[in-house]
Amino acid sequence: MAEFICLFGKDSASIVIKQPKKSPLFLRMMVLVFAMVCGLSICLKQFSFQSSQPVDSHSLHVMTRIHYPKPHTFSRAECGNNPVRFFAILSMQRSGSGWFETLLNSHDNVSSNGEIFSVLDRRKNVSSIVKTLDRVYNLDWFTSASKNECSAAIGFKWMLNQGLLANHEEIVDYFNRRGVSAIFLFRRNPLRRMVSVLANSYDRYAKLLNGTHKSHVHSPQEADALSRYKPLINLTSLIHDLQETESLAAKALEYFNTTRHMVVFYEDLITDPTRLKQVQEFLKIPVKDLSSRQVKIHRGDLSDHIKNWEDINKTLNGTEYEKFLRADY
């Protein structure tokens, strides 16, 4: 929340009033009223300026805080006076967060450090979580994405099932206290996400690319090789699983409702070029063209990627999830 402080400095207009002998109290009251009016005018001007700043429709707070980290492991040198903003990408596995993060990291001024809480020891309790967060936001966390000295935005991606929701009260408090902006990244079509989850799980053991497991690929040939596997989706738990995915996203948004945040959908990033611009504006960094070498694995109609498609079609037809059968981009 923004705080407004009104100061009367040396440059304020000075008024010299010759005080009559007969009514000093009246003149004192006049000076006091004048000072209050001037102070109110200055406050209103400041508030008007703050309110005129652009507001993201998904953000609860107008202003984002800036920081000047002093890392223990290196010197920021000439970039020490450059402000840094903190962010976290909050998502679910196989929702496009890896691709989204490579897009952000193609920006000269952004360092997003990957899925750091995939390591259990870093999230075993609140203390270990806070310790890890402090290292990241103090620029003492080194990954291939680190641009430490002159980074203008520092963050990482955090899956909802990696201690985020289980410790949401403490994490929300940390985000608000340290000024961390949250970017929620979800899929509009959880059925497509389900296909990606099952296919990726299968490849962990099958290792379809020359005996190597890859969650992300960089060529159409590799994408075609992985997409040849068509998962068999469990019909019995299908609707329940879709409900669980939607419920998890809704719960995360509810828990983090008081933080400065925005919601981004994977499908929108693909179809709407302006969405990446809005993300950069949300992070208060210079807007640039972002790029990624990653190639989408499951392209084309959803029916081409599910082994028991006809059964899935029958199960979801007539339900609230029927739209996912045809939703595409």
Side-chain angles (χ1 to χ4, degrees):
M1 298 180 66
E3 297 179 1
F4 306 106
I5 303 175
C6 300
L7 301 174
F8 292 92
K10 297 177 182 178
D11 297 331
S12 299
S14 59
I15 298 176
V16 178
I17 301 177
K18 191 172 181 180
Q19 183 177 330
K21 296 180 180 179
K22 293 184 178 180
S23 54
L25 180 60
F26 173 77
L27 287 177
R28 286 193 190 120
M29 289 296 294
M30 288 295 292
V31 171
L32 180 60
V33 169
F34 182 82
M36 291 176 64
V37 169
C38 289
L40 179 60
S41 174
I42 293 173
C43 283
L44 287 174
K45 286 180 180 177
Q46 289 186 353
F47 180 78
S48 175
F49 171 77
Q50 300 284 7
S51 300
S52 67
Q53 303 303 304
V55 183
D56 189 283
S57 60
H58 299 285
S59 175
L60 295 182
H61 299 283
V62 176
M63 304 301 290
T64 177
R65 290 169 58 185
I66 58 176
H67 308 267
Y68 298 89
K70 295 181 179 179
H72 303 297
T73 49
F74 69 96
S75 170
R76 296 190 69 206
E78 69 275 8
C79 294
N81 292 324
N82 290 3
V84 178
R85 290 176 171 85
F86 301 159
F87 71 90
I89 303 166
L90 311 184
S91 188
M92 303 182 203
Q93 286 84 354
R94 311 310 295 176
S95 294
S97 61
W99 171 66
F100 179 62
E101 190 174 46
T102 60
L103 286 169
L104 290 182
N105 277 325
S106 71
H107 195 292
D108 296 336
N109 305 115
V110 178
S111 295
S112 191
N113 294 284
E115 200 173 318
I116 60 175
F117 285 109
S118 61
V119 179
L120 183 60
D121 193 54
R122 296 170 188 163
R123 63 176 199 265
K124 61 184 179 182
N125 53 45
V126 173
S127 296
S128 59
I129 289 174
V130 169
K131 183 179 179 181
T132 302
L133 291 174
D134 284 344
R135 280 186 61 194
V136 172
Y137 294 129
N138 201 49
L139 307 188
D140 286 318
W141 194 274
F142 295 102
T143 66
S144 59
S146 301
K147 307 180 183 71
N148 294 299
E149 289 87 348
C150 295
S151 293
I154 297 291
F156 62 98
K157 61 176 182 173
W158 199 345
M159 301 297 106
L160 302 188
N161 62 354
Q162 292 174 349
L164 183 68
L165 298 189
N167 301 282
H168 68 272
E169 291 183 355
E170 294 84 356
I171 295 167
V172 165
D173 176 71
Y174 183 96
F175 278 20
N176 287 332
R177 181 165 41 85
R178 297 295 309 275
V180 180
S181 298
I183 303 175
F184 286 96
L185 177 65
F186 298 131
R187 281 202 176 201
R188 290 191 183 278
N189 189 341
L191 185 58
R192 272 196 175 271
R193 175 181 174 268
M194 187 181 294
V195 170
S196 184
V197 168
L198 292 172
N200 186 64
S201 179
Y202 172 79
D203 189 65
R204 288 182 185 277
Y205 303 98
K207 297 180 173 60
L208 298 175
L209 294 176
N210 300 318
T212 303
H213 168 61
K214 288 189 177 182
S215 295
H216 308 99
V217 297
H218 298 104
S219 74
Q221 294 75 22
E222 290 178 323
D224 289 340
L226 291 183
S227 66
R228 289 191 192 108
Y229 169 72
K230 297 182 179 183
L232 188 72
I233 294 179
N234 188 326
L235 299 176
T236 305
S237 63
L238 174 58
I239 291 180
H240 175 266
D241 292 341
L242 293 174
Q243 290 172 338
E244 281 291 299
T245 300
E246 290 187 331
S247 174
L248 197 62
K251 187 179 295 184
L253 290 172
E254 178 187 352
Y255 287 164
F256 285 79
N257 189 43
T258 60
T259 64
R260 180 179 185 271
H261 67 272
M262 73 179 300
V263 180
V264 181
F265 289 98
Y266 171 76
E267 292 84 348
D268 294 346
L269 291 172
I270 293 176
T271 59
D272 183 3
T274 66
R275 204 64 182 120
L276 277 177
K277 176 176 178 290
Q278 293 167 359
V279 171
Q280 294 176 79
E281 290 172 345
F282 175 75
L283 293 176
K284 308 294 184 183
I285 56 177
V287 175
K288 299 185 177 183
D289 291 331
L290 306 182
S291 61
S292 173
R293 292 178 54 239
Q294 286 191 15
V295 176
K296 183 173 174 57
I297 295 174
H298 296 99
R299 295 162 289 174
D301 293 340
L302 192 54
S303 58
D304 295 334
H305 301 292
I306 300 176
K307 188 173 183 179
N308 56 336
W309 172 253
E310 291 301 325
D311 294 330
I312 296 296
N313 203 43
K314 292 176 183 176
T315 302
L316 295 184
N317 260 320
T319 72
E320 61 181 308
Y321 301 109
E322 180 180 0
K323 58 187 177 183
F324 298 141
L325 296 170
R326 284 164 285 281
D328 218 327
Y329 40 85

